[in-house]
Amino acid sequence: MQAVVNNPKITVIRPQGSLNAANALEFERDLTTALAQNRSSSLVVDLEQVEALDSAGLLALVSALKLAQSLGRRFSLCSVSPPIRIIFELTQLDRVFEIFEGTALF
């Protein structure tokens, strides 16, 4: 479902396909594990290969963001396609998440 790239300071997770009710729990578990096990100061979710996102997928991202904040870690999104970005804008989550264009962060 995803690839994980580790840098001493940044962990990048690259989900693919759909983030929906069918796989959101697994995705959230992966994010939680990455935050709990890694000593990286930042977790970046690269959404370039995500084609669809529903409320369950959004909830997984919000839950991971809350965990990252409680651990004092940075949590960011990057490479968000226009159709997926609209979802963040409609839910006003674009104001909550740190979103970068492309992969300029790393």
Side-chain angles (χ1 to χ4, degrees):
M1 177 175 148
Q2 62 200 24
V4 176
V5 177
N6 282 310
N7 172 310
K9 296 186 182 211
I10 300 171
T11 299
V12 180
I13 295 183
R14 294 186 172 113
Q16 299 176 350
S18 297
L19 294 178
N20 55 31
N23 59 17
L25 190 58
E26 176 187 354
F27 178 57
E28 184 177 349
R29 243 182 281 149
D30 292 342
L31 293 173
T32 300
T33 299
L35 286 165
Q37 290 182 347
N38 291 316
R39 299 291 176 228
S40 303
S41 59
S42 297
L43 177 63
V44 178
V45 180
D46 182 344
L47 297 176
E48 183 176 22
Q49 298 298 314
V50 173
E51 299 164 358
L53 179 68
D54 73 2
S55 60
L58 280 175
L59 182 59
L61 289 168
V62 169
S63 295
L65 174 64
K66 287 181 179 180
L67 177 60
Q69 289 171 337
S70 73
L71 295 172
R73 303 234 177 90
R74 186 175 178 187
F75 186 92
S76 307
L77 307 175
C78 73
S79 302
V80 181
S81 67
I84 302 297
R85 184 174 278 278
I86 289 171
I87 295 167
F88 284 94
E89 291 170 359
L90 289 172
T91 58
Q92 297 186 359
L93 288 172
D94 61 323
R95 299 177 186 184
V96 175
F97 286 97
E98 185 174 29
I99 301 175
F100 294 95
E101 297 297 326
T103 54
L105 176 67
F106 49 96

